[in-house]
Amino acid sequence: MIYFNIPPYVGTELDYVKQAIDAHKICGDGQFTKRCNQWFEERFGAQKVLLTTSGTTALDMAALMCDLKPGDEVILPSFTFSSTATAFVLAGATLVFVDVRPDTMNIDETKIEAAITEKTRVIVPVHYAGVACEMDTIMAIAKKHGLKVVEDAAQGVMSTYKGRPLGTIGDFGCYSFHETKNYSMGEGGALVINDPAYNERAEILREKGTNRAKFFRGQVDKYTWVDFGDSYLPSDMNAAYLWAQLEKADEINNDRLATWNAYHEAFAPLEKAGKVTLPTIPADCVHNAHMFYLKCKDLEERTALIRFLKEKGVMAVFHYVPLHSAPAGLKFGRFDGVDQYTTAESDRLVRLPMYYGISAADVAQICEAVKAFFEV
Ligand SMILES: *Cc1c(COP(=O)(O)O)cnc(C)c1O
């Protein structure tokens, strides 16, 4: 059986977890958390990065810092994970879903402006599969209408748009280190803050509403409860697991890209023959091979392909039931304009196994199985 995903493991994780234990520091903001935060700040030129307990809670923090009031509207794609939406629902907003582009499955930047009302406060681009949204256009729209931009870069760690790391372009960026992502700590994430004016609010929000971070820097002589907050600090044991992979970030990235390229090359003849559609990487984007997907003719063919692959020992999966058609999506939001691509394209999409260390032999076997399905 070829698994769909195996969580990344480079071999030094246990040693680092033990170091955290030996240092008698397993709660949040220990040495490994600090090293991870700093690694992202330096590598991505980010003003401030804070590890969180998940990509979802990084989004929760970003949404809370947008200071939303009931009735305020947030624009996002319907083709995304529930986390993108639920963070803004918790923060009190109404969701306005916008269609995606069929080539990247990212929010269609040309359809955003029509969805803006006087209640709109935030745009949330989701960089699907680690391929950047059209950020110049999105940032220009946000500027023109006085809106905040929260990048859901859960899948976009190590990807760039016009040379800029994803997550560092909008007001806030959110990463995920779930076991299905390129770099993992089991459950975890990070918030990127691009305007230093939000640093203090973020620290308070993350530390149960206290100014504890300021206290540890010696800026106040005792710490106290100053605002509402929550606990978004991951254990330093989890951060130790992540640190092992950050040290090998390029190796992991290159390994995944090699797999992605092997798939792309193998299926080029199928695309040429008009049997499948392959993902597009726009010229301005450098991606991180977060996933490899292809699109079948329709839902029926996709269901048959997934079943066929399973019989051949290959686990493939589909991706997202569009949020606007889900029970909570109907309750908390509306779709703006026509659903030209969201439902139709998501029905056709199938994701193939993709993880750090998948063998070339397994990739070849998967390619053969897919080709066998389409050639009969
Ligand atoms: C994985 C993911 C999330 C959530 O991350 P968690 O760490 O699992 O909470 C949010 N948005 C997108 C697009 C994701 O892929």
Side-chain angles (χ1 to χ4, degrees), residues 54-57 59 80-81 83-84 126 152 154-155 175-178 180-181 187-189 290 320:
S54 67
T56 308
T57 52
L59 283 159
T80 182
F81 195 52
S83 306
T84 322
V126 179
D152 182 340
Q155 303 176 8
Y175 297 145
S176 168
F177 307 119
H178 184 258
T180 53
K181 301 303 202 281
E187 297 278 357
H290 173 63
Y320 308 137

Side-chain angles (χ1 to χ4, degrees), residues 172-230:
F172 303 106
C174 304
Y175 297 145
S176 168
F177 307 119
H178 184 258
E179 70 166 32
T180 53
K181 301 303 202 281
N182 294 24
Y183 307 93
S184 185
M185 52 197 277
E187 297 278 357
L191 175 71
V192 184
I193 304 164
N194 295 317
D195 177 351
Y198 287 93
N199 290 359
E200 194 174 333
R201 183 69 193 97
E203 286 176 351
I204 291 167
L205 203 50
R206 187 164 166 272
E207 272 276 21
K208 305 98 186 166
T210 70
N211 58 356
R212 195 174 144 115
K214 230 174 161 176
F215 170 73
F216 279 129
R217 283 195 298 265
Q219 293 166 319
V220 285
D221 58 10
K222 56 179 177 293
Y223 79 86
T224 184
W225 182 35
V226 292
D227 206 336
F228 70 87
D230 210 324

Side-chain angles (χ1 to χ4, degrees), residues 80-251:
T80 182
F81 195 52
S82 63
S83 306
T84 322
T86 196
F88 289 92
V89 170
L90 279 174
T94 297
L95 309 174
V96 177
F97 298 110
V98 167
D99 207 9
V100 289
R101 297 162 40 149
D103 60 344
T104 57
M105 299 304 283
N106 282 335
I107 192 165
D108 186 337
E109 68 280 359
T110 67
K111 293 180 178 170
I112 291 175
E113 231 169 350
I116 293 175
T117 71
E118 64 219 32
K119 293 179 176 166
T120 309
R121 298 288 175 268
V122 187
I123 305 172
V124 192
V126 179
H127 305 297
Y128 186 69
V131 178
C133 296
E134 188 39 57
M135 290 307 289
D136 276 355
T137 308
I138 292 170
M139 294 310 290
I141 294 170
K143 193 165 178 211
K144 180 174 158 198
H145 297 270
L147 311 176
K148 290 218 153 26
V149 173
V150 175
E151 294 179 73
D152 182 340
Q155 303 176 8
V157 179
M158 294 282 278
S159 296
T160 58
Y161 169 81
K162 297 189 178 176
R164 302 170 69 188
L166 301 191
T168 67
I169 304 167
D171 294 270
F172 303 106
C174 304
Y175 297 145
S176 168
F177 307 119
H178 184 258
E179 70 166 32
T180 53
K181 301 303 202 281
N182 294 24
Y183 307 93
S184 185
M185 52 197 277
E187 297 278 357
L191 175 71
V192 184
I193 304 164
N194 295 317
D195 177 351
Y198 287 93
N199 290 359
E200 194 174 333
R201 183 69 193 97
E203 286 176 351
I204 291 167
L205 203 50
R206 187 164 166 272
E207 272 276 21
K208 305 98 186 166
T210 70
N211 58 356
R212 195 174 144 115
K214 230 174 161 176
F215 170 73
F216 279 129
R217 283 195 298 265
Q219 293 166 319
V220 285
D221 58 10
K222 56 179 177 293
Y223 79 86
T224 184
W225 182 35
V226 292
D227 206 336
F228 70 87
D230 210 324
S231 183
Y232 297 116
L233 293 77
S235 158
D236 215 48
M237 291 188 290
N238 296 61
Y241 190 101
L242 178 65
W243 175 250
Q245 290 149 54
L246 296 184
E247 282 190 323
K248 301 240 166 100
D250 291 300
E251 186 184 318

Side-chain angles (χ1 to χ4, degrees), residues 282-343:
D284 291 330
C285 304
V286 174
H287 74 116
N288 60 358
H290 173 63
M291 72 171 84
F292 191 90
Y293 66 83
L294 51 81
K295 288 180 189 162
C296 301
K297 181 159 55 73
D298 54 23
L299 179 62
E300 201 185 339
E301 189 182 69
R302 181 186 71 179
T303 307
L305 173 60
I306 291 175
R307 195 181 311 125
F308 179 85
L309 291 175
K310 200 173 168 194
E311 281 161 13
K312 300 258 174 207
V314 176
M315 282 165 67
V317 299
F318 58 83
H319 222 185
Y320 308 137
V321 174
L323 296 182
H324 75 282
S325 59
L330 294 167
K331 189 162 149 195
F332 297 121
R334 65 183 155 82
F335 196 97
D336 186 83
V338 182
D339 172 9
Q340 192 178 351
Y341 295 114
T342 299
T343 303

